[in-house]
Amino acid sequence: MTLDQAYAFGIIGAVIALLIWDRLRYDLVAMLALLVAVGVGIVKPDEAFRGFSDDIVIIVASALVVSAAVGRSGIVEEAMRPLSGRMKTVPAQIIVLTGAVTLLSAVVKNIGALAIFMPIAMQVARRNNSSASSLLMPMAFGSLLGGLMTLVGTSPNIIVSRLRTEMVGEPFSMFDFTPVGLVIAVAGVAFLTVGHRLLPKGRKAASGAAGFSIDDYTAEVRLPETSPFVNKTVADLEAFGEGDVTVAAVIRERHRRYVPSGHWVLFAGDVLVLEADTQALADIVKYAGLELMHEKDLEGVESDEDLAVIEAVVEPRSPLVGTTVEDVSLRERFGVNLLALSRRGRPIRQRLRRVRFQLGDLVVLQARASGLSETLSALGCLPLAERDLAIGRVRKRWVALSVMVVTIALVATGTVPVVVAFFGAAVAMTALRVVTLKEAYDAIEWPILVLLAALIPVSEALRTTGGTELIAGWLSVAAQGLPPIGALALMLVAAMAVTPFLNNAATVLVMAPIGASLANHLGLRPDAFLMAVAVGAGCDFLTPIGHQCNTLVMGPGGYRFGDYWRLGLPLSIIVVVLGTAAIALFWPLRAA
């Protein structure tokens, strides 16, 4: 091993370690890796920033804008309306919703497809008195499966196509991924339809009659002098809530916090930290004469009819992530009151104004009814309650559909390159006002783009220093005695194993050159091994952190970290077995 190879391995190892440590954000980790690579000389200064002009970055950004436009056009909700009455049982709900997410993920970014269908799943669960936790994880996994079917379905496919251009002189086309991806997706959705029974029971995600709810919301209320519970005990108040409300803390003298027992007497002016679902909170606030601490008058609101209360989930792009209510000036800047908050099914034990928002948090917000969609978009929050479609959206639906059809046709026929087609689609969606410029910029996941741009030169350095050849040599030794299809399965499993720690896009940048080198070592065609890397990198079903789709449903579904492997492990085995067979069938390992 040369010194440059040691530097390359050390940097990649440090990136994995820092991502597992999870104290630094992944885009910062990528930028630090790039700086170190330049510092030690394995990346030349004049090549350090060429990743920012790479086609991959443009395609991913454009695909995110197109996904947001399709979601805001309302075309998906309109298409699903005739099916809503047919989803009476959980298996029927899973096959329709997961199947729809899977299909949509083939043409828009998978996290965008999932975000579009999550409110629909909440509505279906509420109407049929079923648990949204039975639907959301299968839908998240379906979105990952759907992304395997086309070039633009997921970032790994886009990246591996570009890397194939460098290796064999020609990229993968729009539908080169379809035969393999379709086999895996159909089998995966079929399994999820029955496999949802493997999920633990009792993960509460929907209750009440006013939209999506979840147990263990935390809210702060004040006990006014007029309340009938002044000078009554904590037990009296909890009994009034019929066991659905818990007094988690009492705050007195403005800052002293006590964990009360049932015999504690409540006094006027006490601030109570309550834990309950939204319906129970609404009932006890109304009938016990309590005042919500964070319910303040909003500018421009003249009556209660001007207000709306909505439940939402904090998305990855939200400016709230990492901030508190006071940091972001929620009421002053956005005209929004935070009424309650829940985090992944667990109660919040501190004052709401001191809580730092996290990805996947569930929030109950009060805001002006007019402009509610724009407010939620600015906050980066996905509404989890049924809303009427905006007036005038019919025309935009057809505009969005037309742009998508033209884009896919241009890519499929090879009339224009993928990067041009999707950049043009993003511009058209914005120019035709399907999305505003602000919505378009908000839809772009800038940290992901920085991650890609910074790691492209680093991953290239692993190849130019001969590091990929060295790893391929080690893997070829491990594959000794295995048939070619066994080596292919080994590559798929390796990519799948690395993805939870390295991010799926970064996994492809590192593993695709290794896969191609392994194929050369074994005298096999590289295409099948590149496909194996794309499939493995696109299928992280074992953790909530390996892919944003998994993270996004964790809070709304009330899932815990260990819930994912219960459904994800058998699905991963199906992907490895069927994926390996399908790749070998459609992409022969040996030249004819």
Side-chain angles (χ1 to χ4, degrees):
M1 181 186 298
T2 66
L3 181 60
D4 284 349
Q5 289 172 348
Y7 283 143
F9 287 137
I11 291 171
I12 295 297
V15 167
I16 295 175
L18 287 171
L19 291 176
I20 295 173
W21 188 44
D22 199 28
R23 297 294 180 86
L24 299 178
R25 218 170 67 171
Y26 52 80
D27 50 338
L28 177 58
V29 171
M31 289 186 285
L32 289 172
L34 177 58
L35 283 175
V36 173
V38 173
V40 299
I42 61 173
V43 172
K44 296 179 180 178
D46 58 349
E47 295 180 354
F49 305 110
R50 65 182 181 84
F52 288 90
S53 62
D54 197 283
D55 285 357
I56 295 172
V57 174
I58 305 301
I59 294 171
V60 170
S62 300
L64 288 169
V65 174
V66 172
S67 297
V70 171
R72 285 173 172 80
S73 70
I75 192 168
V76 175
E77 292 90 337
E78 189 67 20
M80 291 296 295
R81 196 174 303 237
L83 298 175
S84 60
R86 301 178 183 272
M87 293 183 281
K88 299 299 184 183
T89 65
V90 172
Q93 294 163 13
I94 290 176
I95 197 167
V96 172
L97 292 172
T98 303
V101 170
T102 302
L103 287 174
L104 186 60
S105 295
V107 292
V108 303
K109 272 295 260 163
N110 42 27
I111 192 170
L114 178 62
I116 290 167
F117 275 95
M118 279 180 65
I120 299 174
M122 308 306 176
Q123 296 166 21
V124 169
R126 183 177 70 252
R127 290 168 182 165
N128 294 280
N129 197 29
S130 58
S131 173
S133 62
S134 298
L135 306 177
L136 294 181
M137 192 183 296
M139 288 170 60
F141 290 173
S143 70
L144 301 186
L145 294 171
L148 303 177
M149 291 196 291
T150 65
L151 173 64
V152 297
T154 187
S155 300
N157 292 1
I158 296 170
I159 299 168
V160 85
S161 175
R162 186 276 232 167
L163 293 174
R164 184 177 186 255
T165 304
E166 297 180 358
M167 295 171 188
V168 302
E170 185 179 354
F172 286 120
S173 67
M174 179 72 170
F175 297 109
D176 279 349
F177 298 87
T178 304
V180 173
L182 187 61
V183 169
I184 297 173
V186 170
V189 172
F191 164 74
L192 292 169
T193 303
V194 296
H196 72 92
R197 295 180 178 88
L198 297 172
L199 291 171
K201 305 299 181 184
R203 297 290 188 261
K204 296 183 179 180
S207 62
F212 177 78
S213 307
I214 190 166
D215 285 343
D216 294 328
Y217 266 110
T218 298
E220 293 179 6
V221 298
R222 186 186 299 277
L223 190 69
E225 293 181 357
T226 54
S227 171
F229 285 92
V230 172
N231 297 324
K232 296 289 184 68
T233 65
V234 167
D236 292 333
L237 183 62
E238 291 182 339
F240 183 79
E242 298 181 345
D244 293 329
V245 177
T246 300
V247 180
V250 175
I251 300 167
R252 288 179 177 161
E253 301 167 7
R254 302 186 61 136
H255 65 278
R256 291 185 180 273
R257 182 178 182 275
Y258 306 93
V259 178
S261 57
H263 65 270
W264 266 51
V265 176
L266 300 174
F267 303 122
D270 280 351
V271 175
L272 312 179
V273 179
L274 303 182
E275 295 171 5
D277 65 28
T278 48
Q279 188 61 51
L281 278 174
D283 289 343
I284 202 164
V285 167
K286 178 179 180 181
Y287 297 113
L290 306 176
E291 298 174 352
L292 282 164
M293 283 288 293
H294 294 271
E295 186 177 24
K296 306 294 183 181
D297 290 338
L298 297 175
E299 185 178 348
V301 174
E302 298 179 358
S303 68
D304 289 344
E305 294 179 356
D306 297 329
L307 287 172
V309 176
I310 194 164
E311 292 167 289
V313 61
V314 177
E315 292 190 279
R317 65 181 181 83
S318 173
L320 298 178
V321 174
T323 68
T324 67
V325 171
E326 294 175 344
D327 290 339
V328 80
S329 301
L330 195 62
R331 185 180 302 115
E332 293 77 9
R333 287 181 56 198
F334 297 98
V336 172
N337 287 326
L338 173 68
L339 302 185
L341 187 147
S342 177
R343 177 165 296 159
R344 296 175 183 174
R346 300 191 301 273
I348 304 298
R349 299 294 187 185
Q350 60 190 115
R351 299 293 301 270
L352 289 187
R353 58 189 174 86
R354 297 175 182 166
V355 175
R356 293 193 178 276
F357 293 102
Q358 293 182 7
L359 167 65
D361 280 352
L362 295 170
V363 291
V364 180
L365 303 175
Q366 182 188 59
R368 291 184 295 273
S370 60
L372 182 60
S373 294
E374 291 77 8
T375 300
L376 291 174
S377 177
L379 290 172
C381 292
L382 176 72
L384 300 180
E386 186 170 6
R387 295 180 292 142
D388 293 331
L389 296 175
I391 296 174
R393 279 290 176 91
V394 174
R395 180 176 64 85
K396 299 302 183 184
R397 294 188 194 117
W398 289 110
V399 170
L401 181 61
S402 300
V403 171
M404 279 300 301
V405 169
V406 170
T407 302
I408 293 172
L410 290 173
V411 173
T413 58
T415 306
V416 297
V418 175
V419 61
V420 175
F422 269 81
F423 179 75
V427 172
M429 293 288 195
T430 307
L432 296 171
R433 303 293 293 175
V434 182
V435 288
T436 65
L437 273 172
K438 184 179 186 304
E439 289 171 338
Y441 282 118
D442 286 344
I444 297 173
E445 297 174 41
W446 298 104
I448 290 291
L449 299 189
V450 172
L451 168 81
L452 289 172
L455 282 188
I456 285 172
V458 176
S459 63
E460 182 66 15
L462 188 64
R463 184 186 65 83
T464 56
T465 59
T468 56
E469 287 291 328
L470 194 60
I471 296 176
W474 296 337
L475 287 175
S476 65
V477 171
Q480 288 295 331
L482 293 177
I485 198 169
L488 183 66
L490 178 65
M491 195 69 242
L492 198 159
V493 171
M496 190 179 287
V498 171
T499 297
F501 309 109
L502 197 56
N503 179 288
N504 57 7
T507 295
V508 177
L509 289 172
V510 173
M511 298 298 291
I514 295 171
S517 296
L518 176 61
N520 290 333
H521 272 263
L522 299 175
L524 303 174
R525 298 175 63 192
D527 286 344
F529 287 80
L530 293 176
M531 277 284 171
V533 171
V535 170
C539 294
D540 174 32
F541 307 120
L542 301 180
T543 73
I545 59 174
H547 196 282
Q548 291 173 329
C549 290
N550 295 352
T551 307
L552 189 60
V553 300
M554 190 173 187
Y559 302 122
R560 297 171 186 167
F561 194 98
D563 292 343
Y564 284 78
W565 71 268
R566 294 172 179 267
L567 188 61
L569 182 58
L571 181 58
S572 298
I573 294 171
I574 290 172
V575 169
V576 171
V577 173
L578 286 182
T580 302
I583 292 170
L585 175 64
F586 295 108
W587 296 91
L589 293 167
R590 298 187 186 277

